[in-house]
Amino acid sequence: MTKTINKKILIVEDDKDFLAILQKKFTLNGFDIIVAENGEEAIEITEREKPDLILSDVLMPKMDGIAMAKKIRETNKNVPIMFLTNLKDDNAAERPSEFDYLIKSELRIDDIVAKSKAKLGLK
């Protein structure tokens, strides 16, 4: 039986297959998961659900992850936001430094879960 952690993570990802894998892995690790497929949807969900962590893709339709994060910061200064990206160096200078960036191709799903737990102060 999975131990419940009582932490809510919003996963924002437009790749449905990758989203399903992340959702399953985090759920198996005891997290409550909410999902959004674009930045606009994520903003609405964040206001309503108050997640403990946002894990977001950078490149998405309607609104990219950086624009989404800046908009969320207008009303929620404290929620940690971690980006999953395939862009290693593209626009690195333009990335706001207050966020963590995880390169998808360099990590296993278990690594993403571990980094998320660490960000939330969990073991």
Side-chain angles (χ1 to χ4, degrees):
M1 188 168 142
T2 303
K3 188 181 108 184
T4 302
I5 292 179
N6 292 325
K7 293 285 184 186
K8 192 182 308 182
I9 297 178
L10 170 59
I11 302 173
V12 190
E13 174 62 62
D14 61 324
D15 179 328
K16 288 180 174 35
D17 293 334
F18 190 57
L19 176 61
I21 291 166
L22 286 171
Q23 185 174 8
K24 182 173 183 173
K25 187 56 114 170
F26 275 96
T27 301
L28 288 172
N29 276 273
F31 290 96
D32 293 328
I33 299 301
I34 317 154
V35 299
E37 293 184 12
N38 63 65
E40 288 179 358
E41 191 180 346
I43 291 167
E44 294 172 20
I45 291 171
T46 298
E47 290 175 6
R48 185 176 67 241
E49 297 287 339
K50 310 288 188 243
D52 297 295
L53 173 71
I54 298 172
L55 194 59
S56 178
D57 191 5
V58 173
L59 298 177
M60 296 180 290
K62 294 190 181 180
M63 178 184 288
D64 69 58
I66 304 292
M68 171 207 74
K70 289 177 179 176
K71 187 75 175 161
I72 287 170
R73 280 288 176 260
E74 291 175 12
T75 57
N76 187 332
K77 305 279 187 221
N78 299 321
V79 64
I81 300 173
M82 297 172 63
F83 288 109
L84 293 168
T85 182
N86 285 318
L87 306 175
K88 199 171 202 165
D89 295 316
D90 294 355
N91 302 327
E94 298 173 23
R95 294 178 181 168
S97 60
E98 68 198 82
F99 308 116
D100 294 330
Y101 298 86
L102 308 176
I103 309 301
K104 292 178 188 177
S105 61
E106 295 177 356
L107 297 169
R108 297 182 346 255
I109 300 296
D110 288 334
D111 297 330
I112 296 169
V113 172
K115 288 182 181 296
S116 299
K117 283 182 176 181
K119 191 72 174 175
L120 290 167
L122 305 169
K123 293 182 180 178

